[in-house]
Amino acid sequence: MPEQHEKLGRYALVLLVLGVMGRLPTIILPGHSLMVVYFDGSYLQTAQQILHSNFHALGSRTPVYPLVLALCGLNTRAIWITQSILGVAASLMIFEMAFRRTRHALFSLLVGLACSLAPEILIYESSIMTEALTNFLVVASVWLFTRLDDEGKGNILYPLGLGAIVALACLTRPLMLCLVPVYFCFLVPLWPPAKILQREAIAKTLSFALPVIVMIFGWCGLVYFNTGHFSPTTLAGHNLMDQVDPYVELAPEQYAVLRDAWVQFRTYNKNFPNKNANPVFDEAVPQVARRTGKTKIQVSHEYQSLAFYLEIHHPLL
């Protein structure tokens, strides 16, 4: 075992050096700035609200990533360096998991390098988007879960830490809410039912659920206090419409105002270089709000309902 640990440390150091060297030239290059192709100013706006303690304005974005931006002082180079550190740390965890499963150092190093220096990873690290932080949190949750299997049985700190990381992932990217039932099903034996009532299973359930409930429901409570909607974000309609945009014309007459405004601005913005629904949503929502007299948040929730309708009635499109 000492030889295995020595080999693990040696190859981990190689991975660390290569990961840093692969990022260093672009980070230290004078005048180099973040790639604006993956830039979302709403995260910076939320970070500014946090810095100015304007908590009554929060709700459009989940808080974890804007908090990271605020801790970086909204400095683009500091943000880039922080996200690069997270990327290197994620690759080290992937390397360690691969090594524990295979005991093959070179193979594990190659796996770690593939996850460290992939072009998509480097692009998102140099952008103001949630992908880099979400990637780190998801990898950290998997790493901690594998440690729970190997050496954390009977220790409630592992499910407690797993719950905290999953909650942070959910409050970084709301889609990560799907991790809560997934990890719970693997963490607590659901069959036979008698096992659920065992002391160890109850302890794991409570330890995992505590940070998830406190952090996610606490944030949703703040959003409800600010906007009147109990949700992780008031932009759920924005996120969901991006998925149903190609067939929004199939919406029924009850959504005619929403549908027509969306189609109008989608046609106008069809040559937008990012090929996504962001500019369409940003223009359709204010127009619908002016037509109906509703707030932008109310219109966003109506677009959320429209997206749900299309996904339910046209699941194969």
Side-chain angles (χ1 to χ4, degrees), residues 12-292:
L13 180 60
V14 172
L15 177 60
L16 175 63
V17 171
L18 292 176
V20 172
M21 294 299 295
R23 292 165 170 82
L24 202 56
T26 52
I27 292 178
I28 66 175
L29 188 64
H32 203 74
S33 60
L34 293 177
M35 297 180 65
V36 295
V37 67
Y38 294 121
F39 176 88
D40 193 328
S42 62
Y43 293 113
L44 289 175
Q45 182 180 5
T46 303
Q48 289 173 339
Q49 293 167 352
I50 293 174
L51 286 173
H52 292 97
S53 301
N54 187 16
F55 301 119
H56 292 289
L58 297 177
S60 62
R61 289 295 184 185
T62 45
V64 175
Y65 187 65
L67 182 60
V68 171
L69 300 183
L71 292 175
C72 292
L74 304 181
N75 181 283
T76 53
R77 194 174 299 279
I79 295 168
W80 195 340
I81 293 173
T82 299
Q83 294 186 152
S84 297
I85 292 173
L86 294 178
V88 172
S91 68
L92 288 170
M93 287 186 285
I94 291 171
F95 162 76
E96 196 270 344
M97 287 188 288
F99 183 80
R100 272 192 287 121
R101 296 306 179 192
T102 65
R103 296 298 173 182
H104 196 294
L106 181 58
F107 171 79
S108 302
L109 175 63
L110 294 176
V111 172
L113 280 174
C115 298
S116 178
L117 300 178
E120 295 87 351
I121 296 294
L122 298 179
I123 288 173
Y124 281 124
E125 287 175 3
S126 63
S127 305
I128 298 183
M129 297 289 283
T130 60
E131 277 76 2
L133 179 57
T134 304
N135 173 67
F136 170 77
L137 292 171
V138 171
V139 171
S141 68
V142 176
W143 180 83
L144 190 61
F145 183 77
T146 60
R147 304 296 297 186
L148 174 67
D149 282 348
D150 290 343
E151 57 187 49
K153 292 181 178 179
N155 188 343
I156 65 169
L157 292 179
Y158 281 88
L160 185 67
L162 182 62
I165 293 173
V166 169
L168 289 174
C170 296
L171 294 179
T172 301
R173 201 173 181 91
L175 182 62
M176 295 300 107
L177 282 166
C178 66
L179 293 178
V180 175
V182 170
Y183 276 124
F184 179 78
C185 290
F186 281 102
L187 189 66
V188 179
L190 301 179
W191 191 266
K195 286 189 175 182
I196 302 177
L197 300 178
Q198 292 180 353
R199 180 178 298 180
E200 182 180 352
I202 294 174
K204 284 183 178 180
T205 300
L206 295 178
S207 300
F208 177 76
L210 179 63
V212 171
I213 293 173
V214 171
M215 296 170 69
I216 296 178
F217 279 77
W219 170 253
C220 290
L222 177 62
V223 175
Y224 179 80
F225 179 79
N226 290 341
T227 68
H229 296 280
F230 191 81
S231 171
T233 172
T234 60
L235 294 178
H238 175 286
N239 301 327
L240 291 170
M241 285 302 296
D242 197 31
Q243 310 303 315
V244 302
D245 172 60
Y247 50 96
V248 72
E249 292 90 345
L250 300 177
E253 283 304 309
Q254 68 188 88
Y255 297 108
V257 175
L258 302 173
R259 178 196 63 205
D260 295 344
W262 188 272
V263 172
Q264 174 190 347
F265 287 107
R266 186 184 64 186
T267 304
Y268 179 77
N269 289 289
K270 63 182 177 180
N271 294 321
F272 191 82
N274 271 349
K275 307 287 185 188
N276 62 31
N278 291 346
V280 184
F281 187 87
D282 292 340
E283 293 183 89
V285 168
Q287 173 151 315
V288 174
R290 287 192 298 269
R291 288 180 181 177
T292 62

